[in-house]
Amino acid sequence: MENIFNNTQIAFSLKSDTELERAYFLFKLIDNQPLVRIGTAVTNFAIKANLPVEGLIRATVFDHFCGGVNEEDCVSVVDKMYAKGVSSVLDYSVEGKEEEEQFDAVLNKTLKLINFAKEKKAIPFAVFKPSGFGRIDLYQKVGEVKKLSDAEIEEWNRILARFDKVCKAAFENDIALLIDSEESWMQDAVDDLVVTMMQKYNKAKPIVFNTLQMYRWDRLDYLKNLQEQAKKEGFYIGMKLVRGAYMEKENERAIEMGYPTPICASKEATDENYNEVLNYMVNSIDSMSVFAGTHNELSTYFLMNLMQEKGLNKNDSRIWFGQLFGMSDNISFNLAANGYNVAKYLPFGPVKDVMPYLIRRAEENTSVAGQTSRELSMIKAERNRRKGK
Ligand SMILES: Cc1cc2nc3c(=O)[nH]c(=O)nc-3n(C[C@H](O)[C@H](O)[C@H](O)COP(=O)(O)OP(=O)(O)OC[C@H]3O[C@@H](n4cnc5c(N)ncnc54)[C@H](O)[C@@H]3O)c2cc1C
């Protein structure tokens, strides 16, 4: 298959010269791992100490990786991307809060986003994080089948009710709903809950999507078992496939607590695992739908090839490609220009609450993680093209 991802004119067609310069400056900065570590520590300190750093964050990382502080701010970006064939998934990226009030606020925000999506063709999916609906420790306790106190049972029932409310709203409004994956120690409980939702709302088509983190070596077996269950019980499977964003935390905890790490032994093993599940899903596409959330060009080609081999249309409604806003525009915009379904996660929220998300992005874009050199070379190529070099 010809390389379609090097067309920088298409990739950056929405970026003004100034925005392109900002992106260059930003990726140059986060290319440097020690700087990212120091910058993260200083920024966290400055925010906690109420120092006036929000303006600076907003003008740099925030505006590059986020659509704004609320959903209305995001509309102009959503419309501009859609004009180029790229859809959006509005992602309310407030993390790390564990009060009931906050869980209800996230529930209401998610319901609002489903309604928002219903009004806008450019937003085919809604999304939420399970930790937005309840405490991680409680998910863990439920997953480990530990006895809950009466108060915990009530708390868990509130989580179930939140899940059911958003999945029902998604079903009634015919909007697919992506459920993110986070730490592995909360995932067993999340998986069980999401299966209950699939049994209820995916009878006619995939509405509810779980997420498989393919840096975990046990996920293909999980999917195969789920497929057996889905066949028997008659529901469709919706899955977002990602590699996973919490690798260091996972490995550190496994060492600290003395259990085998759930993470694949190497990057290559994760890559193989990812492609193997893509293969499995495309071969079972009559009973499932896949949202391939990746910035990896090889996995993206792998899926494009699989679709071609299977004789599927490029815009087959069961197959979506996804990237994060501010990253891999060369993949997103060139996929769209070539007729594939593609959506970008567009995070939004108050600047200081979005910091954990921004820090993950900075960390995964350092030279060690390896994506930045490609971003930088794409941006450089586009600068040169615009200068007529
Ligand atoms: C649309 C979208 C939705 C997402 N949703 C989620 C989500 O719900 N949950 C979540 O956790 N992440 C999510 N992510 C983030 C995703 O996990 C990161 O983008 C990913 O970590 C980067 O992987 P990649 O496929 O883009 O490419 P690559 O750059 O090829 O892969 C990097 C990844 O490979 C894995 N890896 C690196 N080194 C090793 C090693 N030594 N051993 C084993 N594995 C290794 C890690 O997962 C690392 O992040 C999402 C991403 C996108 C684009």
Side-chain angles (χ1 to χ4, degrees), residues 47-237:
I47 286 176
K48 280 195 189 115
N50 275 328
L51 296 177
V53 287
E54 281 201 18
L56 183 64
I57 297 170
R58 179 119 211 209
T60 53
V61 267
F62 184 90
D63 278 351
H64 182 81
F65 288 111
C66 300
V69 295
N70 55 44
E71 52 275 50
E72 283 80 18
D73 282 354
C74 296
V75 170
S76 69
V77 180
V78 169
D79 289 342
K80 277 187 205 153
M81 291 205 295
Y82 197 57
K84 304 283 177 192
V86 176
S87 299
S88 296
V89 184
L90 291 191
D91 179 18
Y92 181 54
S93 298
V94 172
E95 295 179 27
K97 299 200 170 183
E98 296 222 306
E99 304 97 35
E100 288 295 306
E101 256 171 39
Q102 178 63 25
F103 297 144
D104 284 331
V106 176
L107 165 70
N108 290 330
K109 186 62 106 179
T110 313
L111 290 169
K112 194 170 168 199
L113 289 176
I114 292 170
N115 265 319
F116 211 68
K118 188 179 69 176
E119 304 298 327
K120 260 187 145 7
K121 247 186 113 197
I123 310 178
F125 297 89
V127 65
F128 74 93
K129 277 196 166 31
S131 65
F133 282 1
R135 284 188 303 119
I136 294 176
D137 287 353
L138 187 59
Y139 284 105
Q140 182 183 348
K141 209 165 170 184
V142 170
E144 290 168 352
V145 206
K146 290 203 172 129
K147 191 166 165 37
L148 303 185
S149 68
D150 288 349
E152 285 171 336
I153 291 173
E154 275 179 27
E155 195 183 338
W156 181 245
N157 285 338
R158 285 194 294 274
I159 296 180
L160 297 184
R162 290 184 190 110
F163 265 76
D164 195 60
K165 246 189 188 159
V166 288
C167 293
K168 186 163 184 260
F171 172 76
E172 287 173 353
N173 290 295
D174 198 18
I175 297 295
L177 179 62
L178 305 171
I179 303 176
D180 282 349
S181 273
E182 302 162 88
E183 289 85 351
S184 62
W185 50 97
M186 64 182 284
Q187 194 60 36
D188 284 350
V190 173
D191 286 341
D192 289 349
L193 242 173
V194 180
V195 169
T196 313
M197 298 297 124
M198 287 188 190
Q199 287 166 328
K200 224 167 152 178
Y201 299 114
N202 286 10
K203 285 203 158 75
K205 65 182 207 184
I207 287 282
V208 178
F209 283 60
N210 204 352
T211 298
L212 294 177
Q213 293 162 313
M214 297 315 303
Y215 62 16
R216 285 183 58 172
W217 44 259
D218 64 350
R219 296 291 82 185
L220 177 57
D221 286 344
Y222 172 78
L223 180 62
K224 285 181 177 169
N225 288 333
L226 182 64
Q227 165 76 336
E228 283 302 306
Q229 184 183 355
K231 258 196 234 156
K232 262 191 229 138
E233 297 176 9
F235 63 86
Y236 287 84
I237 294 176

Side-chain angles (χ1 to χ4, degrees), residues 299-316:
S299 291
T300 308
Y301 274 122
F302 187 78
L303 178 53
M304 290 156 69
N305 275 322
L306 281 173
M307 292 170 74
Q308 195 178 41
E309 276 164 31
K310 284 260 141 205
L312 300 173
N313 288 333
K314 287 179 176 176
N315 66 347
D316 188 303

